[in-house]
Amino acid sequence: MSKKVYIFLADGFEDIEGLTVVDLMRRAQIDIKTVSIKEIRDITTSHGIHMQTDLAFKETDFSDADMLVIPGGMPGTKYLGEYQPLCDLLTDFYKQGKKVAAICAAPTVFATLGFLEGRKATAYPSCMDGLKGAERSLDSVVIDGNVTTSRGLGTAVDFALSLIGQLLGEKTADEIAESVVYSRK
């Protein structure tokens, strides 16, 4: 059975953190869709790359999702955290025990929503103070229950492979790592 993942993008998202997840998941045959939180599908990354997402938030039904992902970057993380329909979707998903994942500054959105209370989590170094209620970790990727967090651009491949491992098993994650000449720790 194919897995379905949605990754939410706002202007100013960190290119590598978002697109590494998309690239590696597609290599693993996971059906991942990029979703704009704007009315239109045009997004500009934090480094000025213009792109089109697969979908716009308001035209999408997320009931088939196995995982929801938010990348970091500024001001992308700020915009994601301010977009109430996304926060409501993430909260509903989280409360159902389904998998949510965030990298870099984006775990602070999870903290604001109360997802990290009493959980182990990580984030970009300057964002660690924003992990209210969490047991802060310096690990590159932290999985605590249905919540996965990661530190930043330098951990994007580890983050993506971890998500693949959670959805399809470690053997598949290892195969994808090998296919892109990446040594897993």
Side-chain angles (χ1 to χ4, degrees):
M1 182 167 105
S2 180
K3 297 294 183 178
K4 184 74 167 228
V5 176
Y6 294 94
I7 187 165
F8 299 91
L9 306 179
D11 284 334
F13 83 90
E14 171 51 55
D15 319 42
I16 301 301
E17 294 165 3
L19 298 180
T20 298
V21 172
V22 174
D23 180 290
L24 294 180
M25 283 195 172
R26 288 186 177 167
R27 290 172 192 261
Q29 306 299 307
I30 292 170
D31 184 6
I32 182 169
K33 298 295 185 199
T34 57
V35 182
S36 168
I37 64 163
K38 300 184 339 183
E39 297 288 327
I40 58 174
R41 296 185 308 130
D42 295 315
I43 293 288
T44 302
T45 70
S46 63
H47 297 285
I49 297 172
H50 301 285
M51 63 172 282
Q52 289 262 317
T53 61
D54 299 314
L55 306 163
F57 190 96
K58 289 190 175 179
E59 65 187 28
T60 307
D61 172 10
F62 303 103
S63 62
D64 61 349
D66 293 294
M67 179 183 285
L68 304 178
V69 182
I70 55 174
M74 284 297 180
T77 296
K78 177 180 174 292
Y79 297 147
L80 291 172
E82 291 172 348
Y83 188 62
Q84 197 58 51
L86 174 60
C87 292
D88 293 344
L89 175 67
L90 288 166
T91 299
D92 182 52
F93 211 75
Y94 169 80
K95 286 181 177 176
Q96 291 179 46
K98 295 181 178 179
K99 295 182 182 301
V100 294
I103 185 170
C104 191
T108 62
V109 173
F110 286 0
T112 300
L113 295 173
F115 299 178
L116 303 183
E117 195 65 42
R119 291 184 184 272
K120 192 174 174 190
T122 195
Y124 190 74
S126 65
C127 297
M128 292 293 276
D129 287 343
L131 301 183
K132 297 174 210 73
E135 177 190 332
R136 297 176 186 107
S137 170
L138 297 179
D139 292 345
S140 62
V141 179
V142 175
I143 304 166
D144 190 333
N146 61 327
V147 178
T148 302
T149 54
S150 188
R151 305 216 62 202
L153 185 154
T155 64
V157 174
D158 289 329
F159 178 63
L161 292 170
S162 170
L163 302 180
I164 291 166
Q166 290 176 58
L167 292 170
L168 300 179
E170 289 304 315
K171 181 176 183 279
T172 301
D174 288 341
E175 289 168 356
I176 297 301
E178 185 177 334
S179 78
V180 298
V181 194
Y182 183 78
S183 297
R184 291 185 84 187
K185 295 172 185 141

